[in-house]
Amino acid sequence: AFDQMRVDLEASKPDAIVVIAAEHFANFFMNNMPSFALGMADSYDGPIEDPGWLGIDKHQVPGNRDLSHRFIEQVMHTSDVSYAEEWKFDHGIMVPLHFLTPRYDTPVIPININCQGPPLSPLHRSWTFGESLRAACDALPERIAIVGTGGISHWPATPDSGKINVEWDLDFMDRWCRNDRAALLGLPAHPGELLRAQDDRTHFRELCKLRTDALAGIRASWTARPISGVSLSRPSLETRLRGCSLGETGRATVQGRS
């Protein structure tokens, strides 16, 4: 799936790539945890992890401060966001870039959604944020690609690390592939509700990751307007789940002027 995404992305010739991720306390901690944060710098360093462990060498990834500034201004018309002029990329961003832009030659605008430190933003706010990103892409003359990253069910740094909940993943991906707004936003939206679920750790972690994966306002954009005749591939549900079970994965689109 990544190989085909890279081909489609290169054919679309984006001026910049927005990468939406849920970082892992690399830049933000509980003393300063924005719900939605965007990067605004001319370059970013990563990965923050040990390259030998991750299998990705350290790189300076290009940004575009001017474009990021204008992009953030547009997003702020409909969503309240934070921004950062310093940002260290962790595996949530570096793994997709490693496969999609192996030359690291396209400017990146990173976005972090708080998926790990309650209180978490309500799901409908994530949907609205996705719509804000689409509107920002439409308002600017540059061609902007959006890559949504993240796993589905997984529990890093816990006794359940390496496990997945196949039944929940299949149900979620069915809602996702149907772009079913009501079904996605109808999932439990408060940790207290999840503690009463059959497996509280499973569902709580899945809900956290959903903050990244449920930007269905963007998802609708992906299917609506192919650019210059480029039709992005739609991997099978099984392919997506294989990618998610291995770690970070994503989908991409390009929005801008033909």
Side-chain angles (χ1 to χ4, degrees):
F2 268 126
D3 288 342
Q4 187 58 54
M5 286 175 61
R6 182 179 66 253
V7 170
D8 292 334
L9 195 61
E10 292 174 349
S12 300
K13 295 181 173 59
D15 297 307
I17 301 174
V18 171
V19 182
I20 306 167
E23 67 133 42
H24 308 79
F25 296 120
N27 299 277
F28 307 103
F29 197 63
M30 299 311 296
N31 62 342
N32 182 20
M33 182 61 73
S35 296
F36 306 105
L38 291 81
M40 189 175 69
D42 282 321
S43 64
Y44 307 92
D45 295 324
I48 197 170
E49 296 94 344
D50 175 20
W53 171 79
L54 189 60
I56 297 176
D57 293 334
K58 290 188 178 294
H59 294 274
Q60 185 174 82
V61 180
N64 184 323
R65 191 186 188 285
D66 173 69
L67 175 57
S68 299
H69 188 132
R70 290 183 285 116
F71 186 81
I72 293 168
E73 285 182 327
Q74 292 298 325
V75 171
M76 283 180 168
H77 284 293
T78 49
S79 289
D80 296 321
V81 299
S82 301
Y83 63 87
E85 295 184 331
E86 297 181 4
W87 198 306
K88 300 291 186 181
F89 287 175
D90 71 4
H91 66 274
I93 291 180
M94 289 303 294
V95 170
L97 290 181
H98 172 75
F99 291 104
L100 297 177
T101 61
R103 296 184 298 275
Y104 300 96
D105 55 358
T106 304
V108 171
I109 303 175
I111 293 180
N112 179 63
I113 299 179
N114 173 27
C115 295
Q116 61 269 18
L120 306 177
S121 62
L123 295 181
H124 73 274
R125 295 300 297 165
S126 291
W127 184 285
T128 300
F129 181 55
E131 294 178 328
S132 299
L133 297 181
R134 167 62 187 265
C137 289
D138 287 343
L140 298 177
E142 288 87 349
R143 296 166 60 81
I144 299 174
I146 291 180
V147 177
T149 80
I152 307 181
S153 63
H154 65 293
W155 302 268
T158 74
D160 293 324
S161 182
K163 297 180 181 179
I164 63 172
N165 185 331
V166 175
E167 181 180 359
W168 195 96
D169 290 350
L170 288 170
D171 175 67
F172 172 75
M173 290 307 299
D174 175 65
R175 302 178 192 218
W176 173 264
C177 291
R178 289 187 283 112
N179 194 29
D180 191 332
R181 182 181 188 274
L184 285 167
L185 302 191
L187 289 165
H190 189 278
E193 299 176 53
L194 299 174
L195 294 177
R196 295 188 292 273
Q198 181 177 4
D199 183 344
D200 56 327
R201 285 181 302 168
T202 296
H203 290 277
F204 181 74
R205 189 64 189 178
E206 288 160 351
L207 176 67
C208 290
K209 290 306 297 180
L210 182 60
R211 291 306 194 282
T212 298
D213 296 330
L215 287 168
I218 296 174
R219 180 78 178 93
S221 303
W222 294 357
T223 59
R225 292 177 56 185
I227 299 299
S228 301
V230 174
S231 177
L232 296 186
S233 63
R234 184 184 178 96
S236 67
L237 182 58
E238 290 74 19
T239 299
R240 294 186 186 200
L241 288 178
R242 283 200 298 272
C244 292
S245 67
L246 294 175
E248 306 299 324
T249 186
R251 292 275 297 161
T253 186
V254 175
Q255 199 61 44
R257 303 299 184 263
S258 299

